[in-house]
Amino acid sequence: MALYTTVMDAVTAYTGLSPAAFFTILALMWVVYKTVCGMFVDPEELNNAKKPAAAAADVSPPALVAPAEPVQLGDVTEDELRAYNGSDPSKPLLMAIKGQIYDVSVSRMFYGPGGPYAMFAGRDASRALALMSFDPQDLTGNIEGLSEDELEVLQDWEYKFMEKYVKVGQLVSEKTQKHNENGKEHDS
């Protein structure tokens, strides 16, 4: 009993708290510590935890698959580009800036269905990017009437896309596409 009294007196002397308050705070700190530690998992523990489950099911965990090489499309019309908006998961996710088409499939969480920038996929989003706009009527490649600052913003976006994504084609008008097809027919 002397030890108990000594510890309780020491808690009060060193902390200035009553023993009940001290141990309540100590218990809460332990709960917070355990909760926070439970939010983070050591990668080795995570892999070890997955292995027995996979072995029991006789199924190996899915391997990280390298993204498929982007398919070069060449000349594409705006209508043809719309087919690459993410609605068909077997097709790449494409987006154009200033008429240049980029494969943004690696950023499906941003540009794919349900992503914050999904409305840009399958479109030339030059005007919307320059204006930093999510207005559907700005989803066009028409950059006429933009200020110098807005054109500079668009140029920054284009540089980012050039660094991060593979260029797979360019937008052409319907007239150009038909002219090219007719020219090919005459060459045959």
Side-chain angles (χ1 to χ4, degrees), residues 57-183:
D58 199 25
V59 177
S60 61
L64 290 177
V65 179
E69 285 296 314
V71 177
Q72 292 297 319
L73 296 179
D75 294 345
V76 176
T77 65
E78 286 189 52
D79 286 338
E80 292 170 332
L81 180 61
R82 286 204 178 96
Y84 297 92
N85 66 358
S87 58
D88 182 351
S90 66
K91 291 184 178 179
L93 196 57
L94 305 180
M95 181 178 153
I97 296 180
K98 291 171 60 176
Q100 303 303 306
I101 303 170
Y102 297 92
D103 185 335
V104 295
S105 299
V106 296
S107 297
R108 188 167 288 275
M109 63 189 267
F110 294 109
Y111 298 104
Y117 306 111
M119 66 187 300
F120 298 154
R123 310 289 295 264
D124 185 329
S126 298
R127 186 171 202 81
L129 291 171
L131 297 172
M132 305 292 260
S133 169
F134 287 95
D135 188 343
Q137 70 189 45
D138 289 331
L139 279 173
T140 177
N142 181 359
I143 57 173
E144 290 178 22
L146 294 178
S147 70
E148 286 296 317
D149 288 340
E150 292 163 341
L151 289 171
E152 203 172 298
V153 168
L154 179 59
Q155 188 64 50
D156 288 344
W157 276 108
E158 186 176 23
Y159 288 148
K160 287 175 187 168
F161 271 67
M162 290 166 62
E163 287 177 17
K164 187 171 182 177
Y165 305 115
V166 176
K167 180 184 166 208
V168 296
Q170 58 273 343
L171 284 175
V172 294
S173 69
E174 295 283 336
K175 293 177 197 173
T176 306
Q177 184 76 359
K178 287 180 183 174
H179 176 71
N180 287 345
E181 288 172 3
N182 290 338

Side-chain angles (χ1 to χ4, degrees), residues 9-63:
D9 290 340
V11 165
T12 303
Y14 286 107
T15 65
L17 299 172
S18 69
F22 175 77
F23 287 108
T24 301
I25 291 171
L26 189 64
L28 288 173
M29 288 173 56
W30 182 81
V31 168
V32 168
Y33 171 79
K34 285 300 197 178
T35 302
V36 171
C37 287
M39 291 178 186
F40 302 99
V41 178
D42 182 28
E44 284 185 29
E45 287 180 26
L46 183 62
N47 287 337
N48 292 339
K50 285 184 178 180
K51 286 179 184 175
D58 199 25
V59 177
S60 61

